Structures are given as structure tokens and as C-alpha cells.
């Protein structure tokens, strides 16, 4: 985890429910203290919704 060298720490990993992520992937993250948060089931527009939300937060909070 390169973030720890900088003094930052990841708390959450947001990922989809794809089968390419085995249970071992989640176990490794859990051992490092990172909580895995799964996206909703069958939500094809979630990426666009989240991109819009992040953009709104950047404009409202950082400008």
C-alpha cells in the first residue's frame, strides 16, 4: 500500500459484483483494514450517477 508511505490510508474499496474478484481478494483487503463495499445489483447507470455526484462534490466543496 503506497498510500501509507505518504501518510494517507484507504478505508473503503468500492467494487462491482463481477466474478473476477475472488473471495481471497476481499480477504486480503480486510486484513489490511480496508472495508469492501459492493455496488448495487444490476445497476448499469451507477457509474454515470456516481461520476456526476463526485463532480458535484468537487465543484461545491473544493471551489
Amino acid at each position: 500500500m503506497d498510500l501509507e508511505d505518504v501518510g494517507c490510508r484507504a478505508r473503503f474499496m468500492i467494487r462491482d459484483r463481477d466474478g473476477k474478484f475472488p473471495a481471497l481478494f476481499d480477504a486480503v483487503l480486510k486484513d489490511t483494514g480496508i472495508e469492501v463495499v459492493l455496488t448495487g445489483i444490476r445497476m448499469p447507470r451507477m457509474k454515470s450517477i456516481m461520476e456526476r455526484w463526485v463532480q458535484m462534490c468537487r465543484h461545491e466543496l473544493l471551489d
Side-chain angles (χ1 to χ4, degrees):
M1 300 289 172
D2 295 333
L3 290 175
E4 290 179 5
D5 296 337
V6 182
C8 296
R9 188 169 180 281
R11 291 180 36 202
F12 301 101
M13 168 71 170
I14 302 172
R15 70 169 184 87
D16 60 1
R17 299 172 184 267
D18 195 349
K20 66 183 172 190
F21 299 109
L24 180 61
F25 182 79
D26 293 342
V28 169
L29 290 174
K30 187 174 184 179
D31 287 343
T32 60
I34 299 174
E35 181 180 347
V36 176
V37 178
L38 299 176
T39 59
I41 299 172
R42 295 185 183 206
M43 295 186 67
R45 295 182 343 169
M46 180 172 272
K47 182 177 179 182
S48 63
I49 293 168
M50 292 309 300
E51 285 177 351
R52 184 174 295 146
W53 184 80
V54 168
Q55 183 181 16
M56 187 239 0
C57 287
R58 284 183 178 166
H59 287 296
E60 294 293 324
L61 301 174
L62 300 177
D63 287 345

